[in-house]
Amino acid sequence: PERTVAAFDAMEAYLGSPEAFEAVFGIVLADRGTEFDDWAGMERSCLVEGERRCRVFYCDAQNSNQKSPAERNHQRLRRILPKRRSDFDRLSVWDVAVCCSHVNSYVRAGQGVAPIALASLALPANLLESLGVTAVPPDDVVMKPSLLGLKR
């Protein structure tokens, strides 16, 4: 949970205020993973004491369709970082940014556009770049462990 709160803090600091954070991430829908246990830490501003930057809600435990688009994104991420072959604690910030760049540059069937293109329209300028996430040309997207040089 500490790393999740630290990530929220870093994004709020970059955006400059709890109001700016709320404009982008006003509602956060999380699953019941332990990384989301500190809902109070995720909600509270790191910049203004006593202010809330967002509202955190949890999916119902037995209702998988509540976050199905995010779960499909997790499946795509698992193409690069397969279970039992990936140690998330050993990933660098650069590794995570590269994975997110490729997963979010992958054009979804039926949509004709990659999520990163839509995100760049909705998010403040340079937010993705500040996180190290950049658009990857469609022909250069890699959705395999070889992206990070993982071995079997």
Side-chain angles (χ1 to χ4, degrees), residues 4-83:
T4 303
V5 172
F8 277 51
D9 290 349
M11 286 187 285
E12 182 186 6
Y14 177 81
L15 292 168
S17 71
E19 295 81 16
F21 186 95
E22 185 177 27
V24 178
F25 305 106
I27 295 176
V28 175
L29 181 61
D31 61 26
R32 296 287 178 167
T34 58
E35 66 273 20
F36 301 117
D37 279 351
D38 187 3
W39 63 269
M42 292 185 290
E43 285 189 353
R44 63 117 184 96
S45 172
C46 68
L47 299 177
V48 181
E49 190 172 339
E51 289 286 318
R52 184 177 61 210
R53 61 181 162 205
C54 68
R55 298 288 309 258
V56 175
F57 295 92
Y58 293 96
C59 293
D60 294 323
Q62 300 303 317
N63 200 343
S64 61
N65 68 337
Q66 289 179 339
K67 279 189 68 178
S68 56
E71 292 303 321
R72 282 192 290 279
N73 226 31
H74 295 159
Q75 290 170 352
R76 290 180 184 100
L77 184 60
R78 283 294 187 188
R79 291 183 193 175
I80 300 167
L81 301 165
K83 288 184 180 184

Side-chain angles (χ1 to χ4, degrees), residues 112-140:
V113 65
I116 198 164
L118 299 174
S120 66
L121 297 173
L123 298 175
N126 301 323
L127 177 61
L128 292 174
E129 279 185 30
S130 75
L131 298 170
V133 178
T134 58
V136 176
D139 291 341
D140 295 338

Side-chain angles (χ1 to χ4, degrees), residues 40 67 92 95:
K67 279 189 68 178
S92 69
D95 292 333

